[in-house]
Amino acid sequence: MKKGLLLFCSLSVFVLTMKAQQWSSYNPTAGFDINAVDILKPGHIVIGGGREKYDSVQIMFTTPDYGVTWNENNHDGLASWNKSVAFADSVNGYGVGYQGRIISTNDAGANWGFAVFPTTRNLNKVVNVTPLLYYAVGGKQSNGSMQTILKTINFGTSWSVIYDAPGPWLKSVYFFDVAKGFAVGDSGVILATLNGGSSWAPVVTPVQRDFNAITFINADTGYIAGGSQTGPSRRTILRTTDGGANWITLSDTIGGVLNDISFADSAEGYIVGDSATVLKTTDGGQTWTSQQVSSSLTGTETFRAVKFYNKNFGTIGGKSGALYVYTGWPIDVYTLGAKVMDSITVDLYASVNTHGLPGSIKFTYSTDSAFATYFSTPVEYFNTDTFLPFSKQINYLLPNTWYYYFVQNGTNTGDTLSFYTGFNFPVFKTLAGDVIDSSDLRLRGDIHGYASVTNIIFEYGTTPFLGNIIAASPGIVNDTADYAVTALLTNVQPYTLYYYRMRGEVAGDTIYGDIYFVGNLFRVLETLPANNISDTSAVLIGAEQGLKAVYRGVELPKPGEKA
């Protein structure tokens, strides 16, 4: 366990709006169907869809904050609806739809435009293989059905129709690399290529169903999802364990047709479909169980798309604008510090966020760093969507003794830190930092009483999660004298709080100072009374009152200004 000496409390309270281990419902499209969902990075979802008939409409939305706020594409309106989106990176991507309409974005889905029409076929799916290479599949469903495959090797500068032949239209496509890929579609169609789409060969299917989605979790194991709406509707899952050469029917039962599939990792995945169907696997797809994403579902809803970024973040979209966002963050607990009141009394501090779930919190402490024997404070219960301070006073401790402690939620614990019950002890602590100018901050700490401290650094970041390090000066202490420790943080972001703490090693143990934060410069704007007011006009006046710096929520003077 990690150890650290903390002498003064420092509570770092900040706000998150995330829910834990639950599905949240949204409907940003005002009832238009959602056919496509993608996740570019944590929190950032892109959706596409619209209306198929009766003056067809395209809609494209994005959210940067897990669905809390949504932004609509300025180009949305009367156009063939979107069926699929794919991104080469976190900002550049393509979307495809009916009538051969292909659109692009270079700002993470905020704006889509530059429509091209390399074919008149309806396009159902687009995938990215390399930054320059995309494939799209579709065709024509009725009146002489056709299956069509498009390809671009220059990031959409030009698209080529590489396959256009009679047959059931194609619904989905998957590529392992630039050479090997599969396309699937209605009536049991599975096509394979080993030469980047120059030629396609049919693969034997074990069952004649409409195949709507295909994916692989590794080079050998893959899945196809689909079904049939003829007669009693059926849901179908195929599986391959030899890279797609042979497929077996894993499931073919009565139920809503399956429309899309996504794996969070090699073990956990989701399939969605008609009749409000959501299936989940935790064993790499060998078994699938039904999931309920909302108690308000009637069972008539149609889910058309699913995407999971990882096990803790995913989204489902469907007909009539149904959209569900999953967040599965664990309960967060952070051991923050201790304040020694006297030789037998100490206040312990922590921060906790249960993300909307009930949580039981306690401190565990011991004179033994291995916690062979220990004591715990009474359990207290939290249910919060924000980080809240948690503190407890402990009495009747042994004087002049080192104690080790951590905050605990079940098996989830914060860092193990330490305190000394007395006042004749070594000091290793973070101090208040300095705002030098709009782009530079000085981090500060104090060390004395230790014979040797090595690898002294500061950890820092724009949240209490920290995540970055910077070398401290001095980086090594070899006697018990008093040392002022500093680090210069340059080119910081404007108008941003930086959290930091000092870290070092003593006799092989890692020790920490408190988490502090220092404020960069904050602009203060003031609205002043208007003048030249008439019945039809007025002059509105505002003023910039200067820049103020903040440390621990307390306003500091501007650089060069006396306190």
Side-chain angles (χ1 to χ4, degrees):
M1 292 185 176
K2 292 178 281 187
K3 305 174 186 176
L5 171 65
L6 290 101
L7 309 176
F8 302 93
C9 67
S10 75
L11 303 182
S12 300
V13 182
F14 59 102
V15 176
L16 291 179
T17 57
M18 293 306 305
K19 299 288 186 179
Q21 301 174 351
Q22 73 168 24
W23 291 91
S24 299
S25 176
Y26 302 95
N27 195 321
T29 69
F32 288 109
D33 292 353
I34 298 172
N35 299 321
V37 294
D38 203 355
I39 298 177
L40 308 190
K41 59 185 177 180
H44 196 127
I45 304 170
V46 175
I47 63 175
R51 183 171 61 204
E52 179 182 3
K53 301 177 180 179
Y54 312 113
D55 294 329
S56 60
V57 172
Q58 173 193 267
I59 59 98
M60 310 292 292
F61 281 77
T62 182
T63 176
D65 50 20
Y66 298 91
V68 177
T69 60
W70 291 89
N71 305 302
E72 185 176 9
N73 170 40
N74 291 327
H75 297 88
D76 282 357
L78 295 177
S80 300
W81 68 346
N82 174 266
K83 287 300 297 294
S84 176
V85 296
F87 282 78
D89 50 43
S90 61
V91 294
N92 296 292
Y94 278 89
V96 301
Y98 280 8
Q99 303 300 314
R101 192 170 195 265
I102 300 177
I103 55 177
S104 64
T105 180
N106 59 9
D107 58 7
N111 292 282
W112 295 82
F114 314 105
V116 295
F117 300 86
T119 180
T120 59
R121 307 290 191 212
N122 292 337
L123 300 177
N124 290 316
K125 186 72 173 182
V126 60
V127 296
N128 168 256
V129 183
T130 73
L132 298 177
L133 177 60
Y134 287 77
Y135 287 88
V137 300
K140 188 169 65 170
Q141 189 176 22
S142 58
N143 299 323
S145 61
M146 300 288 292
Q147 43 194 214
T148 306
I149 304 175
L150 278 67
K151 178 181 181 179
T152 178
I153 59 174
N154 52 21
F155 189 59
T157 302
S158 61
W159 291 80
S160 301
V161 178
I162 61 172
Y163 187 83
D164 193 51
W169 72 341
L170 303 174
K171 296 284 197 62
S172 185
V173 59
Y174 181 92
F175 268 81
F176 291 92
D177 49 39
V178 297
K180 183 180 179 181
F182 291 89
V184 299
D186 284 356
S187 302
V189 168
I190 306 175
L191 301 178
T193 181
L194 296 175
N195 53 21
S198 296
S199 61
W200 295 82
V203 177
V204 175
T205 177
V207 62
Q208 295 293 318
R209 304 291 185 221
D210 294 338
F211 297 149
N212 297 323
I214 180 173
T215 193
F216 282 76
I217 60 175
N218 55 46
D220 297 318
T221 306
Y223 294 89
I224 293 173
S228 173
Q229 293 181 337
T230 303
S233 64
R234 303 187 71 86
R235 60 178 61 165
T236 306
I237 305 173
L238 304 188
R239 185 171 191 248
T240 180
T241 56
D242 58 8
N246 297 281
W247 296 84
I248 63 168
T249 303
L250 186 67
S251 175
D252 187 49
T253 60
I254 294 175
V257 172
L258 305 178
N259 296 321
D260 200 13
I261 182 171
S262 177
F263 275 82
D265 56 26
S266 61
E268 188 166 302
Y270 292 81
I271 296 176
V272 300
D274 297 351
S275 305
T277 299
V278 179
L279 305 178
K280 180 180 180 180
T281 181
T282 57
D283 58 9
Q286 298 180 64
T287 58
W288 297 84
T289 57
S290 295
Q291 303 291 300
Q292 184 181 44
V293 299
S294 173
S295 60
S296 65
L297 294 175
T298 64
T300 61
E301 295 82 1
T302 296
F303 295 142
R304 291 176 170 164
V306 60
K307 179 69 174 184
F308 265 73
Y309 184 81
N310 55 35
K311 291 197 295 186
N312 290 322
F313 180 38
T315 186
I316 292 173
K319 192 174 180 180
S320 302
L323 184 73
Y324 293 87
V325 176
Y326 177 82
T327 54
W329 314 113
I331 291 176
D332 289 318
V333 286
Y334 289 90
T335 316
L336 291 184
K339 184 176 182 181
V340 177
M341 308 303 292
D342 55 41
S343 61
I344 61 171
T345 307
V346 67
D347 289 343
L348 302 182
Y349 297 91
S351 184
V352 57
N353 187 348
T354 68
H355 301 288
L357 291 178
S360 58
I361 311 299
K362 65 181 179 180
F363 283 106
T364 296
Y365 60 99
S366 174
T367 58
D368 173 17
S369 63
F371 290 85
T373 59
Y374 58 86
F375 302 91
S376 295
T377 61
V379 171
E380 296 190 24
Y381 294 92
F382 272 69
N383 191 331
T384 173
D385 280 337
T386 67
F387 273 88
L388 291 180
F390 173 58
S391 63
K392 203 70 178 175
Q393 186 171 93
I394 302 175
N395 300 295
Y396 308 111
L397 298 172
L398 298 174
N400 302 314
T401 302
W402 281 102
Y403 277 87
Y404 304 88
Y405 70 101
F406 54 82
V407 66
Q408 184 172 7
N409 161 252
T411 59
N412 186 27
T413 66
D415 284 348
T416 299
L417 305 178
S418 60
F419 61 87
Y420 184 80
T421 54
F423 297 98
N424 183 22
F425 48 75
V427 168
F428 185 95
K429 64 181 179 181
T430 315
L431 298 177
D434 299 320
V435 178
I436 298 176
D437 53 38
S438 61
S439 61
D440 299 323
L441 303 173
R442 180 178 291 109
L443 312 183
R444 300 174 60 241
D446 182 35
I447 299 174
H448 70 260
Y450 284 100
S452 176
V453 185
T454 60
N455 299 323
I456 305 169
I457 63 171
F458 284 94
E459 299 177 326
Y460 72 93
T462 55
T463 74
F465 298 109
L466 304 176
N468 303 289
I469 62 172
I470 186 172
S473 179
I476 298 175
V477 168
N478 289 319
D479 55 55
T480 58
D482 192 7
Y483 286 89
V485 183
T486 63
L488 182 63
L489 202 57
T490 61
N491 299 317
V492 298
Q493 300 175 26
Y495 320 121
T496 304
L497 288 177
Y498 279 80
Y499 297 78
Y500 65 98
R501 68 180 175 185
M502 191 167 63
R503 188 182 86 187
E505 294 182 9
V506 176
D509 287 337
T510 301
I511 60 175
Y512 300 87
D514 290 356
I515 296 178
Y516 273 57
F517 63 79
V518 62
N520 198 353
L521 302 178
F522 287 79
R523 180 171 286 108
V524 179
L525 302 178
E526 181 180 4
T527 303
L528 299 177
N531 60 22
N532 296 335
I533 301 174
S534 70
D535 291 338
T536 59
S537 65
V539 177
L540 305 181
I541 302 174
E544 181 179 338
Q545 296 298 318
L547 298 175
K548 297 183 179 180
V550 174
Y551 166 74
R552 286 192 164 185
V554 179
E555 181 185 324
L556 298 178
K558 292 182 290 184
E561 184 178 74
K562 293 184 178 180

